[in-house]
């Protein structure tokens, strides 16, 4: 009945779920048994004492107040700790970019491998999905991993998991997103580390950074952002991770979200000291190309920038 437990967090999620289910069942049984007993005992026409209790039982009152209090607080602490772990990807996680669009999933591996609908990952290797949508709200749901996360247009959301068992597991879109929502599914194929390495090698097709570098030229970004350009545009070397002062006095961190928005909504966060000359590429560059550009911008000015170094 339940999907298999195939990620490092699945057992912990199930533990919490079944504990809450068990407690709820116990409370429901307690309430209904008491209700039925009272209904039978105090039914109309029955000669019983209906005067009610006149003295307080402090012990009972304290018990039914403090025991549920401790139980609910315990569940809160338990689930909060689990939630923090589910939100914090391990440092060695592989980042895979995901674009949802009506009605398919596109996955891009750091080595340049791209796939539609099916995601290949390795057993035991933590995976961090960085996701965005090209149109409406979608939602990645992988029941066997006990993970689920909305995928929003114009924003990056994240999800991570460590697959523990080789196999093929269902992937669903869990947000109604139009006519073919119910068919916007796919699969996660978990291979042994050796099998996954073979798959990666067989499907290598230029790294994401290489593709981003190529797109940087193709979309004419270099025309303004190159060193020798006559246009006064912000330098991009080493931009990722730095703090950018904006024309309106604010300061923002140049993270993936900032780089994405700088391409699609350049007028919103203009860097201090620069005129708002950058045209918006919203609708002109697909989300998967933007991901490649962002991947390239992340390594610009670093040692990894040399071609093929990121493989
Ligand atoms: Cu995408 Cu439902």
């Amino acid at each position: 009945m339940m999907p298999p437990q195939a990620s490092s967090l699945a057992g912990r999620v199930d533990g919490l779920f079944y504990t809450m289910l068990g407690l709820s069942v116990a409370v429901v049984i307690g309430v209904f048994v008491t209700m039925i007993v009272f209904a039978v005992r105090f039914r109309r026409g029955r000669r019983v004492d209906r005067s009610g209790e006149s003295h307080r039982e402090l012990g009972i009152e304290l018990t039914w107040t403090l025991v549920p209090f401790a139980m609910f607080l315990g569940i809160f602490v338990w689930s909060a700790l689990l939630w923090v772990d589910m939100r914090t990807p391990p440092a060695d996680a592989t980042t895979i970019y995901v674009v949802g669009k009506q009605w398919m999933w596109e996955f891009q591996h750091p080595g340049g491998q791209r796939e539609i609908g099916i995601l290949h990952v390795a057993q035991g290797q933590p995976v961090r999905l960085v996701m965005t949508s090209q149109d409406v709200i979608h939602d990645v749901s992988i029941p066997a991993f006990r993970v689920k996360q909305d995928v929003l247009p114009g924003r990056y959301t994240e999800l991570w998991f460590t697959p523990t068992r080789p196999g093929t597991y269902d992937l669903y879109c869990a947000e109604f997103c139009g006519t073919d929502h119910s068919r916007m599914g796919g699969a996660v194929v978990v291979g042994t580390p050796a099998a996954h390495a073979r798959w990666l090698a067989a499907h290598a097709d230029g790294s994401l950074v290489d593709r981003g570098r190529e797109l940087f030229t193709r979309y004419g970004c270099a025309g303004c952002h190159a060193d020798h350009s006559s246009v006064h545009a912000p330098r991009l070397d080493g931009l990722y991770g730095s703090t950018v002062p904006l024309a309106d006095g604010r300061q923002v961190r140049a993270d993936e979200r900032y780089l994405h928005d700088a391409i699609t909504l350049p007028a919103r966060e203009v860097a201090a000291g620069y005129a708002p000359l950058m045209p918006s590429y919203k609708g002109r560059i697909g989300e998967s190309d933007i991901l490649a550009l962002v991947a390239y911008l992340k390594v610009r000015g670093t040692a990894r920038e040399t071609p093929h170094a990121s493989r």
Side-chain angles (χ1 to χ4, degrees), residues 97 108-114 200 203-215 288 291-293 295-296 299 304-311:
Y97 292 99
Q108 299 189 79
H109 296 258
Q113 298 84 352
R114 299 169 73 180
L200 284 178
H203 293 81
D205 180 26
S207 77
L208 201 55
V209 173
D210 292 343
R211 203 157 71 79
R213 184 183 299 105
E214 195 253 308
L215 291 169
S288 56
L291 285 173
L293 279 168
Y296 166 61
V299 301
R304 287 181 65 203
E305 195 189 334
T306 47
H308 311 298
S310 63
R311 274 194 204 159

Side-chain angles (χ1 to χ4, degrees), residues 86-258:
M86 293 185 84
R87 290 281 118 194
T88 317
D92 62 338
T94 306
T95 299
I96 296 177
Y97 292 99
V98 182
V99 177
K101 44 188 141 181
Q102 289 170 325
W103 286 275
M104 60 192 213
W105 296 108
E106 184 185 330
F107 304 100
Q108 299 189 79
H109 296 258
Q113 298 84 352
R114 299 169 73 180
E115 30 185 357
I116 304 277
I118 294 182
L119 172 63
H120 284 78
V121 294
Q123 177 190 16
Q125 167 64 42
V127 172
R128 166 177 170 251
L129 301 182
V130 174
M131 312 182 290
T132 191
S133 164
Q134 189 141 312
D135 34 53
V136 300
I137 300 177
H138 302 279
D139 187 306
V140 158
S141 166
I142 311 168
F145 297 168
R146 307 293 190 275
V147 292
K148 178 176 177 297
Q149 172 63 50
D150 271 10
V151 177
L152 308 169
R155 210 202 283 191
Y156 287 137
T157 51
E158 287 188 22
L159 179 68
W160 80 270
F161 53 80
T162 303
T164 50
R165 282 167 41 175
T168 301
Y169 305 101
D170 291 329
L171 180 148
Y172 298 102
C173 178
E175 184 74 42
F176 181 66
C177 55
T179 318
D180 276 345
H181 154 71
S182 60
R183 292 210 264 158
M184 189 173 166
V188 181
V189 177
V190 179
T192 60
H196 185 64
R198 275 199 303 278
W199 183 88
L200 284 178
H203 293 81
D205 180 26
S207 77
L208 201 55
V209 173
D210 292 343
R211 203 157 71 79
R213 184 183 299 105
E214 195 253 308
L215 291 169
F216 191 78
T217 310
R218 195 200 306 167
Y219 284 113
C221 311
C224 296
H225 290 282
D227 297 343
H228 49 77
S229 168
S230 56
V231 178
H232 182 52
R235 292 286 312 278
L236 303 176
D237 290 344
L239 173 65
Y240 182 74
S242 66
T243 302
V244 181
L246 299 182
D248 61 10
R250 284 183 299 141
Q251 299 214 328
V252 292
R253 227 178 87 80
D255 55 9
E256 286 155 334
R257 197 278 315 159
Y258 172 80

